[in-house]
Amino acid sequence: MGRSVKRSMWTHTAQRSRRARRPYPVRTVITRSQGNTSCFQRLPAEVFHMILDRLSGWLFKRCTLLLPTEDRLTLISSTFSQMPCFKLEECTAAGCLGFYGYGVFLKTMISGWDEVEWHRVFNFLCSFTNLLPKIKMAVTGTPGVSCSLELQLRLFCRQVLLDPWPCKGTLFWLTRILKPWPMVLQARLLFILYGPLMPDGTLAWQGIVEREMSRSALWHMASVIGLLYSNLDHLTDWTTDTMQTILEELIVLPEVWHMENVARLFVLCGSTVCYSFLANKAHNGQLLEVSRLIVHIILVCKKDGYSMNWVVRMVHQVCQGFNTSERFAFIQRLEDMFSEVTMELIEIVTAGNHHEGTGPFQTLRSLLQSSAHFHAKFLHMFLQNE
């Protein structure tokens, strides 16, 4: 009797549970025609990261383990093509996490693959996103005119390919992105990918020409230039001369940069890049440009709190490339440039052109202080060597 009662109670409970259960809602993909919000905006960032990193990437990788690379990529394409957030210029929602999720998924899936497979992945991505024609449109047009396309390319390349990886992976993707283009367009592309941004989120094409930029604004560009320089021994399509040309093109985009921005970029790039650039120009007899850049490097070091010993060693290294008479001519040219830049700032201050507040006066003050500091260190070095 007790057993029958228990069976009856169990059956009743199971039926009630079945009646209470509701089917799970079917997730749909929100397209642009259905609304202007991202299909990922409803998910907290932590949940979205977990789904793509812990579940989808590894699950897809394991489920397709025995398939050829081409078939794996085709499966990704068929899925991602239905989601606007994974496609260039399809999702217009601000702060969309689609490209970030794409990058996490891709890194999870192809980690451990050899370089040949990575090349196939890049070719697939170019085909899937129509990447190369879009890059061509951005780098051959007038800077800033296609600002939406520039930012989309920046977000896609940075979040899907460049930023998720450590240096070796970043270098691979960056060289694949740059390789199809001549050096002048490589410079344009580097600016699109890593150039400073204005407060409204657009690229600072004019800002870098007209006003001083902060260290943080130039940091990413300097880092990637340093990455390329430090791996020239392993790159077949880039040499020191190649990088010299790219840098010369970069610092005049779209016009000649504000001189402190040029100097700050080279300070952030570090000794190898800075010395290579200065020595090359000095070797080619461009002492006027070298002297002006050194004066502004000295100024930036004073403003940003870098050691003046670093600049003194840099100038000393450049001097070693000259014979005795050339060395004294270079030092004289450098001293004349100190005077010239000082007079330029005095004229700005006395003319009352203070559209930047007290900026010109403060810069003049910093220049005079940095000049005194530099000369003291420079003389001390020569006295020690005697």
Side-chain angles (χ1 to χ4, degrees):
M1 181 69 177
R3 186 176 300 176
S4 300
V5 171
K6 289 180 179 179
R7 186 182 298 113
S8 175
M9 292 174 63
W10 171 259
T11 304
H12 178 71
T13 302
Q15 290 173 346
R16 183 173 57 188
S17 175
R18 283 196 295 270
R19 286 196 300 270
R21 187 178 299 160
R22 295 289 184 271
Y24 293 108
V26 177
R27 294 293 301 271
T28 59
V29 176
I30 301 174
T31 65
R32 292 183 68 183
S33 61
Q34 294 172 302
N36 199 33
T37 59
S38 165
C39 58
F40 294 119
Q41 283 186 323
R42 298 176 185 175
L43 289 175
E46 296 82 1
V47 176
F48 182 68
H49 182 281
M50 181 190 71
I51 291 173
L52 287 166
D53 187 23
R54 304 297 181 187
L55 300 178
S56 299
W58 283 111
L59 183 61
F60 184 90
K61 189 171 185 175
R62 291 180 180 278
C63 290
T64 61
L65 187 63
L66 300 179
L67 293 178
T69 300
E70 296 298 330
D71 291 348
R72 286 173 136 182
L73 296 176
T74 300
L75 282 173
I76 297 174
S77 175
S78 63
T79 302
F80 284 11
S81 62
Q82 303 175 48
M83 308 182 74
C85 297
F86 287 154
K87 298 172 71 176
L88 275 166
E89 298 188 286
E90 287 291 328
C91 179
T92 58
C96 178
L97 296 171
F99 287 161
Y100 167 80
Y102 200 156
V104 171
F105 182 95
L106 189 67
K107 182 183 177 183
T108 303
M109 191 187 75
I110 70 173
S111 290
W113 291 14
D114 59 36
E115 191 170 301
V116 173
E117 299 297 301
W118 281 30
H119 280 283
R120 292 180 180 176
V121 172
F122 182 73
N123 292 335
F124 156 75
L125 286 173
C126 288
S127 175
F128 173 62
T129 61
N130 205 25
L131 183 61
L132 296 183
K134 291 180 185 293
I135 289 178
K136 183 178 181 181
M137 188 183 303
V139 297
T140 56
T142 303
V145 171
S146 302
C147 58
S148 177
L149 176 59
E150 290 173 349
L151 292 176
Q152 279 283 297
L153 287 171
R154 180 188 179 102
L155 285 173
F156 180 84
C157 292
R158 290 281 298 272
Q159 294 186 358
V160 176
L161 297 173
L162 300 170
D163 291 353
W165 295 89
C167 292
K168 185 177 179 181
T170 300
L171 183 67
F172 174 84
W173 298 116
L174 180 63
T175 52
R176 294 312 93 199
I177 294 169
L178 294 176
K179 185 178 179 179
W181 314 105
M183 286 180 282
V184 63
L185 298 187
Q186 288 186 30
R188 285 275 297 270
L189 190 48
L190 280 174
F191 194 99
I192 289 172
L193 296 177
Y194 291 99
L197 298 174
M198 297 298 288
D200 64 358
T202 58
L203 283 163
W205 291 109
Q206 284 303 126
I208 204 163
V209 173
E210 298 171 353
R211 63 185 67 89
E212 181 183 351
M213 292 281 170
S214 67
R215 283 178 290 181
S216 59
L218 296 169
W219 174 260
H220 293 293
M221 186 184 292
S223 297
V224 79
I225 290 170
L227 178 65
L228 288 167
Y229 256 94
S230 62
N231 287 276
L232 288 178
D233 291 342
H234 311 294
L235 299 176
T236 56
D237 297 295
W238 285 268
T239 63
T240 302
D241 290 339
T242 302
M243 289 305 302
Q244 182 84 14
T245 303
I246 291 173
L247 282 174
E248 289 180 348
E249 294 289 347
L250 180 65
I251 60 178
V252 296
L253 283 173
E255 301 171 37
V256 178
W257 287 10
H258 189 294
M259 203 61 205
E260 285 188 44
N261 291 332
V262 179
R264 185 165 283 110
L265 177 68
F266 281 106
V267 170
L268 291 171
C269 284
S271 300
T272 302
V273 177
C274 191
Y275 170 72
S276 176
F277 190 83
L278 291 172
N280 185 283
K281 281 191 168 293
H283 178 74
N284 292 327
Q286 298 171 297
L287 297 186
L288 182 67
E289 293 182 35
V290 172
S291 300
R292 180 170 286 273
L293 180 53
I294 288 174
V295 168
H296 283 87
I297 286 174
I298 292 168
L299 174 60
V300 165
C301 285
K302 171 63 179 175
K303 282 187 169 184
D304 294 355
Y306 292 103
S307 171
M308 198 60 69
N309 290 327
W310 180 80
V311 193
V312 169
R313 288 194 298 269
M314 188 74 60
V315 174
H316 184 255
Q317 279 184 289
V318 174
C319 285
Q320 299 308 304
F322 299 122
N323 59 39
T324 303
S325 61
E326 291 172 336
R327 193 173 304 165
F328 281 108
F330 169 65
I331 292 174
Q332 183 61 56
R333 177 67 269 183
L334 184 60
E335 295 305 316
D336 291 343
M337 186 56 66
F338 268 111
S339 300
E340 187 176 324
V341 175
T342 301
M343 290 305 300
E344 289 173 0
L345 285 170
I346 290 173
E347 289 176 4
I348 294 173
V349 171
T350 55
N353 297 327
H354 298 167
H355 60 281
E356 296 180 2
T358 59
F361 180 78
Q362 290 177 342
T363 299
L364 175 60
R365 182 181 177 183
S366 296
L367 178 63
L368 294 174
Q369 291 175 338
S370 64
S371 175
H373 196 184
F374 170 79
H375 284 95
K377 294 287 186 181
F378 201 65
L379 288 171
H380 182 68
M381 180 191 67
F382 275 108
L383 289 173
Q384 280 185 320
N385 292 336
E386 288 185 356

